[in-house]
Amino acid sequence: MAYKDYEIVIGLEVHSELKTKSKIYCSCTTEFGGDPNTHCCPICTGMPGTLPVLNGMVVEYAIKAGLATNCKIHQFSKQDRKNYFYPDLPKAYQTSQYDLPLCYEGYVDIETNGEEKRIGLTRIHIEEDAGKLIHEANGTFVDYNRCGVPLIEIVTEPDLRSPEEIRVFLSKLRSILLYADVSDCRMNEGSFRCDVNLSVRKKGATTLGTRTEMKNINSFNFAFKAAEYEAKRQIKLIESGGNVVQETRRWDEAKGVTISMRSKEEAHDYRYFPAPDLMPIVTSDEEIERIRQTIPELPDVRMKRYMENDGLSLYDSELLVASMKISDYFDQACKQTKNKKVLANIIISEAFSRMNEDEKELGEIPISAENLGKLAHLVDTNVISSSIAKKVFAIMWEHDDDPEIIVEKEGLKQISDDGALRQMAEEVIAKNDKVVQDYLSGKEAAIQALMGQMMARTKGKANPKMVIDLLKEILNTKK
Ligand SMILES: [Zn+2]
């Protein structure tokens, strides 16, 4: 099979729950969980005669998401009814947006294999979530608690070309929405999920192949696996002379396959029409500008700042901006030290592994940013070595104290006294004839053994650079 002769074309529809306290058209809570059908009222269950009132925060969050993803804003926007019958939708229509979505023509830049790529966003619109069907042995039940929870649907252009790009894009988009603080993006609670539209075509072809849609995938990993499987399935089908059928499929994680659900609906199947009970959404320039001001510095800009101004690597910068809490923490700690690299190192190697061990959430560092910054400063100014810094860090993790006081109290100051170290180096050299001979005969690595002894004698407190320089200096006189 000639997979490499094919190009995979992917577009995504991402649904992200907005973090409003109440639902989109009524005052019911949006809180996750609760006993079935306890978070609903006549409005969100679509009782005849009820009237919806749009929650203003939904518009605000959606515009914020749009601005954070470089979208243009339709200052005159409307809501539409999308009609379909399904038991989880009591009104038999979903209020969504059809031809005038709030946001349009945006983009998100991603990087895969060291290459930058721009993924176009066709649109972002607001809509309401549906309820949930619960299948049990004695029947199927329906829980309307999620009905009317506000969502944004983010639709991309068919710009993605591999399962890996899906993963990178979703993770980037999620991080932008988290920074913009418009959604919790909790994938396990379904508040961030996506539909994957995928087709394949022979490389060089200019028309798109027939696509299938895989719905409601709530993990980056599942999206990756579903796309990988589906691309292979379609190529295999075409290679064996068959045709891809336009349909909706579902990813079966247990079996590792996609399964046909139903033939894909077209827009006209939904008989969209303007929501008669809802006013158009009109937004002023001032309003948009005010919302723009509430967007914090986004991950891309922070990455650039870390690499260009602070000399951090791409990898380290990515780790720091993965959570806004960590990135804010790093920025705060930076005020105490000039050496951002040492600081980043302490956070990445020490703090991350401790958070991992203690099963803490990313961002729950029990050391104040000020104290951690001071620790980096002590390393930078050679008061302590980086190995002693690990010890001090461990103490600080238990009790968040000023590292200077800890170093003083525990007697951990680095020994940088030339006289004392020189004498010790001469003793170590005198006592290790074999190692010295090895070194002199060309085995340069032998010096590490001498260095180890110096560190053991000083309990790790000797200035490592001075030790190595002194050892070399003395040994070279013996050549
Ligand atoms: Zn309600």
Side-chain angles (χ1 to χ4, degrees):
M1 202 94 39
Y3 290 115
K4 62 177 188 323
D5 296 341
Y6 285 84
E7 180 177 50
I8 307 173
V9 179
I10 303 162
L12 299 174
E13 289 163 29
V14 179
H15 289 92
S16 187
E17 239 168 52
L18 296 176
K19 58 192 289 184
T20 57
K21 290 198 168 59
S22 55
K23 290 187 179 179
I24 185 165
Y25 302 118
C26 63
S27 55
C28 292
T29 178
T30 53
E31 213 174 292
F32 185 78
D35 285 337
N37 302 310
T38 54
H39 297 172
C40 34
C41 72
I43 297 171
C44 53
T45 49
M47 294 299 160
T50 56
L51 285 173
V53 177
L54 178 61
N55 180 343
M57 281 314 285
V58 171
V59 176
E60 167 131 7
Y61 283 151
I63 291 178
K64 201 172 174 188
L67 294 174
T69 50
N70 312 294
C71 285
K72 297 172 186 162
I73 308 298
H74 272 137
Q75 290 184 246
F76 182 92
S77 173
K78 68 179 177 63
Q79 296 168 85
D80 302 271
R81 285 189 183 179
K82 178 181 181 180
N83 301 279
Y84 65 93
F85 287 104
Y86 203 63
D88 66 0
L89 193 69
K91 292 190 282 192
Y93 63 83
Q94 177 192 32
T95 308
S96 179
Q97 294 195 283
Y98 183 51
D99 53 341
L100 281 172
L102 265 177
C103 319
Y104 65 105
E105 288 179 14
Y107 61 86
V108 169
D109 288 330
I110 61 166
E111 194 170 313
T112 46
N113 303 323
E115 264 178 58
E116 273 240 345
K117 185 171 174 179
R118 181 157 289 183
I119 306 299
L121 301 186
T122 318
R123 56 188 280 158
I124 300 180
H125 65 251
I126 56 172
E127 62 183 30
E128 55 183 334
D129 207 350
K132 190 179 163 195
L133 295 181
I134 301 156
H135 304 283
E136 288 189 3
N138 54 344
T140 294
F141 298 85
V142 64
D143 176 6
Y144 290 135
N145 282 355
R146 304 314 293 159
C147 261
V149 167
L151 305 174
I152 43 174
E153 178 173 332
I154 302 160
V155 183
T156 77
E157 291 290 307
D159 286 345
L160 298 127
R161 290 289 175 273
S162 69
E164 180 56 21
E165 285 185 8
I166 300 182
R167 186 146 54 187
V168 175
F169 172 81
L170 287 178
S171 135
K172 186 69 174 284
L173 179 65
R174 180 170 182 268
S175 127
I176 293 172
L177 297 180
L178 286 172
Y179 270 70
D181 201 24
V182 298
S183 171
D184 290 331
C185 297
R186 292 203 183 106
M187 304 190 79
N188 56 346
E189 292 178 4
S191 73
F192 188 80
R193 54 188 197 255
C194 75
D195 304 341
V196 178
N197 292 299
L198 185 147
S199 63
V200 298
R201 62 182 172 193
K202 277 264 168 68
K203 272 187 186 156
T206 49
T207 52
L208 291 169
T210 306
R211 67 192 166 94
T212 60
E213 180 177 33
M214 288 162 284
K215 280 211 168 285
N216 278 328
I217 299 181
N218 66 349
S219 120
F220 295 170
N221 204 19
F222 293 175
F224 177 89
K225 288 197 277 184
E228 201 170 46
Y229 175 88
E230 184 60 15
K232 281 191 183 152
R233 188 189 71 86
Q234 291 186 14
I235 293 169
K236 211 166 162 180
L237 197 61
I238 295 168
E239 285 283 303
S240 62
N243 284 317
V244 175
V245 180
Q246 179 165 338
E247 62 184 353
T248 300
R249 300 178 71 86
R250 128 186 117 73
W251 170 245
D252 186 322
E253 172 61 16
K255 296 196 181 101
V257 297
T258 62
I259 295 166
S260 174
M261 286 167 73
R262 56 177 186 263
S263 66
K264 165 80 185 151
E265 307 82 354
E266 300 283 354
H268 64 251
D269 293 329
Y270 291 119
R271 302 174 345 273
Y272 279 98
F273 65 86
D277 299 331
L278 290 158
M279 300 285 281
I281 304 166
V282 180
T283 331
S284 66
D285 291 338
E286 291 75 31
E287 189 72 356
I288 292 172
E289 209 33 56
R290 182 189 61 73
I291 297 171
R292 195 189 299 279
Q293 295 305 323
T294 63
I295 300 173
E297 190 187 29
L298 292 171
D300 271 357
V301 185
R302 293 186 191 217
M303 290 266 298
K304 206 164 171 233
R305 179 159 60 80
Y306 292 162
M307 291 195 287
E308 286 173 11
N309 302 355
D310 303 335
L312 303 190
S313 67
L314 172 73
Y315 181 75
D316 287 356
S317 309
E318 267 176 353
L319 287 176
L320 292 176
V321 303
S323 140
M324 186 161 101
K325 265 192 192 166
I326 294 284
S327 173
D328 283 347
Y329 180 91
F330 174 75
D331 287 341
Q332 193 67 29
C334 274
K335 291 179 185 152
Q336 305 295 329
T337 177
K338 287 198 195 80
N339 199 330
K340 315 283 167 68
K341 271 180 159 173
V342 168
L343 176 62
N345 256 333
I346 296 176
I347 294 179
I348 291 165
S349 54
E350 301 305 315
F352 281 7
S353 58
R354 278 307 295 263
M355 278 188 277
N356 219 350
E357 276 170 36
D358 297 7
E359 289 178 3
K360 283 186 186 296
E361 290 244 345
L362 207 58
E364 287 180 80
I365 300 178
I367 301 173
S368 71
E370 193 189 355
N371 280 340
L372 202 79
K374 282 184 182 171
L375 179 64
H377 182 65
L378 293 179
V379 176
D380 184 43
T381 50
N382 284 319
V383 176
I384 55 172
S385 65
S386 40
S387 61
I388 291 294
K390 287 181 192 199
K391 265 190 205 171
V392 179
F393 177 89
I395 297 170
M396 289 166 81
W397 192 268
E398 303 306 327
H399 303 282
D400 183 18
D401 284 331
D402 187 327
E404 218 164 330
I405 295 170
I406 298 173
V407 167
E408 201 64 51
K409 213 164 76 187
E410 308 278 326
L412 294 170
K413 251 193 195 151
Q414 179 152 270
I415 303 169
S416 299
D417 173 348
D418 185 80
L421 289 178
R422 186 177 292 271
Q423 199 191 336
M424 205 183 294
E426 274 168 356
E427 282 171 29
V428 167
I429 287 172
K431 281 190 180 163
N432 290 278
D433 229 20
K434 167 96 180 45
V435 182
V436 170
Q437 288 315 318
D438 282 352
Y439 178 80
L440 293 176
S441 66
K443 283 186 195 155
E444 295 216 341
I447 203 166
Q448 293 303 332
L450 302 174
M451 167 108 181
Q453 292 199 20
M454 294 278 289
M455 284 305 183
R457 281 183 176 217
T458 58
K459 300 201 172 75
K461 288 185 288 183
N463 180 327
K465 175 145 187 351
M466 280 185 78
V467 170
I468 210 94
D469 287 349
L470 277 168
L471 286 171
K472 278 186 184 164
E473 186 193 320
I474 300 166
L475 288 167
N476 283 341
T477 63
K478 299 185 186 295
K479 273 186 180 169

